[in-house]
Amino acid sequence: MKKKWMFLTASVLTASLALAACGGASDTGGETTDSEGGGSGDEQIKLRMSWWGSQERHDMTFKIIEMYEKENPNIKIEPEFTGWDGYFERMAAQAAGNNLPDIMQQNFGEYLNLYASQGLLADLNEFKDSGDLDLSKVDDSIVQSGMKDDQLLGIPSGTNALTAVYNAEMLEEAGADLPTDDWTWEDFEEIAYKVHDELDTYGTRSYEAGNIFEYYLREQGFALFNEDGTALGYDDDQILTDYLTRAKQMVDDGVAPGYDVIQQIQGIEDELIVHKNAPFDLRWSNQMKTMSMAADYTFDLNVLPGDNISQGMYLKPAMLWSVSENSEHKEEAVKFINFFTNTKEVFDTIGSDRGVPINNEIREEMRADLDEIETKIYDYIDKVTENSSPIDTNFPAQSSEILTELNTIDERVMYGQITPEEGAAEFRKSAEMILGN
Amino acid sequence: MAQNQTGKETVVPVKPPFKKPFKRPKRLRTGYEELSGYAFISPFIIGLVAFTLYPIVYSLYLSFTNYGMGGEYEWIGLANYERMFTTDDTWRQSLKVTFLYAGTAVPLRLVFALMVAVALNKIVEAVGLYRTMLYLPSVVGGSIGISIMWRQLFGNDGAFNSVLASIGLPTHSWLGDPGTAIWTLVALYGWQFGSSMLIFLAGLRNIPKTFYEASAVDGAKPWQQFFKITIPLLTPVILFNTIMQTIQGFMAFTPSFIVTNGGPMNSTLLYVLYMYRRAFEFFDMGYASAMAWVMLIIIAIFTAVIFKSSDKWVHYND
């Protein structure tokens, strides 16, 4: 009896230890998916393509892939898609296995720069020169946003801007003023409090710290990172203290929901503004289409509040199309990106879900038959184009971790574990440490 | 001792089954016998080397480098370990959470499994049905689906709060409160008691009925029987289950990843989840490898301690 149990215990123990070590080791081994890369020459070529998004986006993207495959019978595109959560972790596992998809939906800023720093993305300049990639109808400033160190690493799928999206009906019902192009944070808060008092709903969704704090900095003439991305781009911690104090006050007063509520939102179709639980939300313009399809009314779009709005506002590539360095079919991958960028039918299908088209001609042609919310998005992007400053591109490779840290601190302040002052100081300390200063 | 139908003892010819001297059947030696033996075990050997040994050794090497993801990397000695033990507050937090989790969830699961096993052992009819039903949560337990269900169950508008509200009790934001979020995960772990339960059940079946009968004759109460007979005779099984579950508890990942994603305020950030983040969100592979090795050592120490202590409390019935 003793022998039997000892043996069993010992053998299971050995197996578990092996498993435990393996759990760690698999980080490095990466996950190998079954991609054979396809044949050679003019035969059937398989391209793997990945993106994140909502179900709407998945469906629309399938149609575009179908369209492309019909025109190019020798190309077979294998889609790999998830929601935003987990997308970059999945990509990271593939990157570790040197197995990134041929066509990859990338994100501007922290992610593009992180991938660039590891040499994971192909430089598309040669394809631009060879004519496979036609960017002649795209503004230079937009092409620029896909560049890092003179390498063209991503083609914007469309243009995007932060917006204060609102429910005009709720504001009117509460007897509040409608937002204007030159409103301040005080104006914004006044409306939010009024709606909260009158309608007994939230006055606004609480802010997503990464995006809104960055805007808050820009609007006051600073940036999140300094020019060469080696330190924070502002010296006075009072700015973050102010930002956190404002945000916390609203949460404390019940005007904005706390993290316990935010955490339960499953996808953008489930946001407070969709269910008329709040009249305001500060987020990206390309999300309006999906959100308004989930809601039974149409939103209105306004610029974010502030004292120097045009200094704070900027156009951003909604997302980028990149080709991985390990791809065996770079040229074919680029041709698909070219198709996506320069074909009107693509945008007839996808609308502004991946941003407003960057090809100037297509953008103008599209105007003719836009639905209500898309018209608003196009008009809004036009407005921001004229009243904005260039996007900051100086994100260090560690910025993903720094933004996570900012969110953690935001969370701790909202829960009242630390004060805004402490949060601001701690953020600086952590950021400096992550940047290795 | 064999008995025939009438109950009268008969003499059965004693025929020891294994005493017969083993005689190799005559066969031509081809010289390939060893080879074919290796061929048969090769799937295991190749799997072990390629998917276990090599990655283990490689991850040990990586833990001394600043390997990111592709790209250049260099040997940095113990810097990853130094950073972990001196400056990384989040690492400390994740370790704290993991100890709290393993320290409460494992006993909860074991006690629960034992209680259910004892109850099941008493049931005579349809025991297979009950056993299957009770084992079910463990079959589906590690899955994403259950974690998502758990998130709904304990959500602000979830089933748990609805029940509370319907009987007039105050509701609570179970997942949103840093003080309670971890306990929803502990409850999830405790709920998946099936595999331990089955092993306990097998152990209970092994305890000779005669002990209970004899003690009943001597006037032992059920609880006395439980503590004086069942528990002592079950200690080898308890040891086995404890070690198994402790290792599993330390390595838990899915619940904190899906149900709470480490939040709120990292109050449910289990060690493996943080390791995953370092590796796949921050491209900090070398550091994550170092974390994996530290976890390996922690599990080894715990297991060794439990093993060592077993001399004191495990009774082998032989």
Side-chain angles (χ1 to χ4, degrees):
Chain A
M1 184 75 182
K2 172 165 181 160
K3 254 196 181 141
K4 185 176 134 204
W5 282 110
M6 284 296 266
F7 175 74
L8 193 55
T9 315
S11 54
V12 164
L13 184 67
T14 321
S16 316
L17 282 178
L19 276 176
C22 201
S26 68
D27 299 350
T28 56
E31 121 194 343
T32 13
T33 45
D34 52 333
S35 78
E36 291 306 315
S40 57
D42 252 22
E43 302 153 30
Q44 210 55 22
I45 293 177
K46 262 193 235 164
L47 293 178
R48 285 166 58 223
M49 169 179 173
S50 68
W51 69 85
W52 74 85
S54 59
Q55 188 58 45
E56 290 287 333
R57 181 178 296 165
H58 301 331
D59 295 342
M60 296 186 289
T61 311
F62 294 150
K63 281 186 197 149
I64 293 166
I65 290 175
E66 223 170 85
M67 226 189 284
Y68 188 75
E69 285 176 344
K70 209 173 269 175
E71 278 180 33
N72 302 275
N74 65 321
I75 304 288
K76 175 92 185 75
I77 294 181
E78 291 181 348
E80 297 174 5
F81 49 94
T82 61
W84 165 259
D85 285 336
Y87 176 78
F88 275 99
E89 289 84 338
R90 194 188 152 96
M91 290 299 112
Q94 298 191 356
N98 206 17
N99 191 33
L100 281 173
D102 302 284
I103 307 163
M104 175 183 182
Q105 187 171 301
Q106 254 296 350
N107 199 15
F108 176 82
E110 71 268 28
Y111 286 104
L112 182 72
N113 292 7
L114 178 60
Y115 276 68
S117 73
Q118 306 284 337
L120 293 166
L121 303 176
D123 180 7
L124 304 181
N125 269 317
E126 59 169 305
F127 300 103
K128 195 176 140 200
D129 298 340
S130 74
D132 284 326
L133 183 61
D134 178 10
L135 298 177
S136 58
K137 298 187 186 69
V138 182
D139 287 344
D140 248 7
S141 63
I142 292 177
V143 178
Q144 276 297 325
S145 62
M147 301 198 56
K148 178 80 186 164
D149 301 332
D150 294 329
Q151 291 192 313
L152 182 57
L153 300 176
I155 308 302
S157 65
T159 312
N160 219 2
L162 280 173
T163 175
V165 55
Y166 65 95
N167 179 338
E169 225 173 89
M170 281 175 80
L171 296 191
E172 276 156 19
E173 199 185 328
D177 296 334
L178 292 185
T180 59
D181 289 347
D182 57 351
W183 60 334
T184 62
W185 286 101
E186 287 74 25
D187 297 333
F188 170 74
E189 282 161 13
E190 196 185 312
I191 302 172
Y193 273 85
K194 179 130 192 174
V195 174
H196 169 66
D197 291 342
E198 296 291 327
L199 305 184
D200 200 26
T201 61
Y202 291 114
T204 175
R205 185 203 197 277
S206 33
Y207 315 138
E208 203 274 301
N211 288 322
I212 307 307
F213 177 59
E214 197 203 345
Y215 167 82
Y216 195 79
L217 279 169
R218 284 174 55 96
E219 183 240 315
Q220 297 183 43
F222 302 98
L224 193 51
F225 297 103
N226 68 2
E227 248 164 62
D228 47 3
T230 52
L232 290 179
Y234 63 97
D235 292 325
D236 188 358
D237 282 341
Q238 191 59 38
I239 306 172
L240 182 52
T241 306
D242 286 347
Y243 167 83
L244 290 170
T245 309
R246 269 180 198 285
K248 173 143 176 60
Q249 190 63 51
M250 298 232 266
V251 171
D252 286 350
D253 293 342
V255 175
Y259 268 93
D260 58 323
V261 175
I262 294 301
Q263 198 196 35
Q264 318 251 329
I265 298 172
Q266 319 271 330
I268 57 173
E269 297 93 334
D270 191 33
E271 279 292 347
L272 297 175
I273 189 166
V274 171
H275 300 302
K276 298 186 185 171
N277 289 327
F280 278 116
D281 201 340
L282 311 183
R283 59 174 60 244
W284 295 106
S285 59
N286 68 308
Q287 297 176 328
M288 292 312 119
K289 174 80 177 170
T290 301
M291 279 170 69
S292 79
M293 280 166 93
D296 60 356
Y297 69 100
T298 318
F299 312 120
D300 285 287
L301 281 66
N302 202 74
V303 290
L304 263 52
D307 296 323
N308 301 292
I309 294 171
S310 62
Q311 191 175 300
M313 293 298 300
Y314 57 95
L315 291 175
K316 180 194 164 188
M319 44 212 82
L320 301 153
W321 292 117
S322 292
V323 176
S324 64
E325 186 59 39
N326 64 278
S327 167
E328 287 171 20
H329 304 288
K330 295 198 178 74
E331 193 181 330
E332 294 302 329
V334 168
K335 281 180 184 163
F336 176 80
I337 296 174
N338 186 56
F339 168 81
F340 195 102
T341 310
N342 296 313
T343 311
K344 181 168 178 291
E345 284 74 25
V346 166
F347 291 94
D348 286 339
T349 307
I350 196 94
S352 62
D353 184 65
R354 280 196 172 88
V356 169
I358 58 172
N359 179 318
N360 291 330
E361 273 177 24
I362 292 178
R363 195 167 58 237
E364 286 320 306
E365 278 176 56
M366 292 287 295
R367 281 210 179 265
D369 41 24
L370 290 176
D371 64 17
E372 195 186 351
I373 185 73
E374 300 250 279
T375 310
K376 285 179 182 171
I377 297 170
Y378 275 60
D379 289 347
Y380 179 71
I381 293 294
D382 279 353
K383 194 203 273 179
V384 175
T385 307
E386 280 154 30
N387 300 297
S388 60
S389 312
I391 188 167
D392 294 319
T393 58
N394 45 1
F395 286 84
Q398 301 91 328
S399 41
S400 170
E401 190 178 351
I402 293 172
L403 287 171
T404 303
E405 187 61 29
L406 178 60
N407 273 322
T408 309
I409 283 169
D410 185 64
E411 208 177 344
R412 292 173 63 194
V413 171
M414 295 310 143
Y415 270 110
Q417 201 191 47
I418 49 175
T419 65
E421 290 80 12
E422 289 164 350
E426 198 164 307
F427 176 61
R428 178 172 299 280
K429 201 181 116 208
S430 302
E432 300 282 330
M433 202 173 75
I434 293 166
L435 289 166
N437 298 346
Chain B
M1 195 73 43
Q3 290 185 326
N4 68 6
Q5 300 297 75
T6 55
K8 210 176 117 197
E9 281 190 16
T10 55
V11 181
V12 177
V14 181
K15 201 174 167 195
F18 301 113
K19 287 274 170 71
K20 214 164 106 183
F22 179 73
K23 223 166 131 195
R24 179 189 288 273
K26 261 222 152 89
R27 200 199 286 167
L28 283 173
R29 288 193 65 92
T30 56
Y32 290 118
E33 276 144 8
E34 289 88 351
L35 215 59
S36 59
Y38 284 121
F40 273 116
I41 57 168
S42 65
F44 174 74
I45 298 286
I46 292 171
L48 181 78
V49 171
F51 299 115
T52 308
L53 285 181
Y54 171 67
I56 288 176
V57 174
Y58 193 50
S59 97
L60 181 62
Y61 163 67
L62 286 178
S63 75
F64 297 110
T65 70
N66 60 356
Y67 178 62
M69 185 78 76
E72 304 278 301
Y73 60 96
E74 55 192 33
W75 183 269
I76 54 169
L78 288 170
N80 282 330
Y81 293 93
E82 199 188 313
R83 188 171 121 213
M84 200 184 306
F85 288 114
T86 54
T87 52
D88 192 345
D89 292 341
T90 317
W91 178 79
R92 221 165 295 148
Q93 165 73 8
S94 75
L95 203 60
K96 219 172 76 188
V97 171
T98 309
F99 275 119
L100 175 69
Y101 178 77
T104 52
V106 171
L108 180 76
R109 182 188 277 191
L110 290 176
V111 169
F112 214 59
L114 181 58
M115 274 165 33
V116 176
V118 168
L120 263 187
N121 201 28
K122 296 251 184 327
I123 295 175
V124 186
E125 270 171 53
V127 64
L129 178 72
Y130 288 114
R131 206 167 46 202
T132 310
M133 276 168 50
L134 288 162
Y135 189 56
L136 218 53
S138 304
V139 178
V140 293
S143 73
I144 305 286
I146 289 298
S147 295
I148 290 175
M149 184 192 91
W150 218 251
R151 194 168 66 188
Q152 305 285 7
L153 206 59
F154 286 97
N156 285 358
D157 304 318
F160 197 66
N161 269 348
S162 301
V163 171
L164 286 182
S166 71
I167 54 174
L169 290 171
T171 61
H172 187 73
S173 178
W174 301 102
L175 297 174
D177 180 347
T180 55
I182 186 75
W183 300 114
T184 65
L185 301 189
V186 170
L188 176 57
Y189 193 82
W191 179 61
Q192 294 159 2
F193 56 86
S195 61
S196 317
M197 175 198 76
L198 283 193
I199 295 168
F200 276 135
L201 201 54
L204 288 172
R205 294 274 154 90
N206 257 338
I207 299 175
K209 286 264 183 301
T210 46
F211 292 168
Y212 294 102
E213 287 158 6
S215 61
V217 170
D218 288 344
K221 303 247 166 14
W223 61 267
Q224 281 174 319
Q225 287 181 333
F226 181 75
F227 285 107
K228 304 261 166 169
I229 298 172
T230 310
I231 292 286
L233 289 178
L234 211 54
T235 44
V237 189
I238 296 177
L239 172 67
F240 173 78
N241 267 341
T242 308
I243 290 176
M244 286 283 285
Q245 297 304 330
T246 307
I247 293 169
Q248 259 192 43
F250 275 115
M251 287 168 59
F253 169 75
T254 322
S256 74
F257 181 56
I258 303 288
V259 182
T260 54
N261 199 13
M265 288 198 297
N266 291 340
S267 65
T268 59
L269 185 71
L270 292 181
Y271 193 91
V272 183
L273 177 60
Y274 182 52
M275 186 167 88
Y276 168 83
R277 281 198 184 159
R278 288 243 65 106
F280 293 106
E281 277 178 32
F282 308 145
F283 283 18
D284 211 352
M285 291 287 174
Y287 189 81
S289 295
M291 282 185 69
W293 275 89
V294 171
M295 181 40 79
L296 180 81
I297 291 164
I298 290 173
I299 292 181
I301 290 172
F302 264 82
T303 316
V305 168
I306 297 174
F307 244 121
K308 207 81 200 129
S309 74
S310 71
D311 290 345
K312 301 260 186 312
W313 58 274
V314 175
H315 306 279
Y316 291 98
N317 181 27
D318 51 9

